[in-house]
Amino acid sequence: MKLLELLPIGNVDGRLLMELGPAIREAFHMPCEVIPRPLDPEFAFYGERQQYHSSELLERMQYFLSRGSWRILGVTSVDLYIPILTFVFGEAQMGGPCAIVSAHRLSQSFYGLPPDAELEGHRLLKEAVHEIGHTLNLTHCDDYRCVMAPSHAVEWIDLKESTLCPACYGQLFVSGD
Ligand SMILES: [Zn+2]
Ligand SMILES: [Zn+2]
């Protein structure tokens, strides 16, 4: 039985990881485990942007793959970017096996609002399911409620569900993975 593995990248709130595991397991019907050895993200830090290069982290995550890995989801609290965008909530390798999500811009405090741990947990789950969806060859969906809808702001994340719409769900079985 293959595992969906969660890889903490840098210091990650243990509560976020603990809640994410069971929720993801439910979404993909795959057993889920946290990799005990975190990845230090400092090599991917760019001082001029004060952010971490998401694609470089994804590349490094390949070294954590083992025979038992189904997918590896990196979870981090640092702010991620790719050169063409000011930031990303996450990034995935289309078709797998690795994806990464950041909680940095999912917290209410980032926007100067009072903290809301439950909301932050929901947002992280949606982004996690979204990025894992990409590793399963799913592309962006036009249905704004579908978890595969693109999100460029937290308001968009809040509009969507943490589940795949029927069309996207059906795609999973076309891709044969
Ligand atoms: Zn996407
Ligand atoms: Zn969809």
Side-chain angles (χ1 to χ4, degrees), residues 15-108:
R15 177 192 54 81
L16 271 184
L17 275 178
M18 277 201 8
E19 290 174 2
L20 190 59
I24 294 189
R25 185 183 308 139
E26 204 168 298
F28 291 100
H29 309 289
M30 291 298 286
C32 185
E33 262 180 24
V34 177
I35 297 176
R37 188 165 50 108
L39 170 62
D40 181 350
E42 287 315 309
F43 71 92
F45 181 70
Y46 285 82
E48 58 293 7
R49 295 186 58 140
Q50 295 290 304
Q51 287 175 306
Y52 293 77
H53 196 310
S54 168
S55 316
E56 291 182 11
L57 290 169
L58 268 183
E59 208 167 286
R60 188 66 62 92
M61 284 172 57
Q62 311 302 311
Y63 294 106
F64 287 80
L65 287 164
S66 67
R67 283 215 319 236
S69 309
W70 175 64
R71 295 289 184 268
I72 296 184
L73 177 71
V75 182
T76 189
S77 297
V78 303
D79 197 18
L80 299 178
Y81 81 99
I82 57 173
I84 55 162
L85 295 173
T86 44
F87 75 94
V88 289
F89 290 123
E91 189 185 353
Q93 293 171 322
M94 207 63 186
C98 293
I100 182 171
V101 285
S102 165
H104 190 79
R105 291 170 189 257
L106 302 180
S107 72
Q108 289 291 75

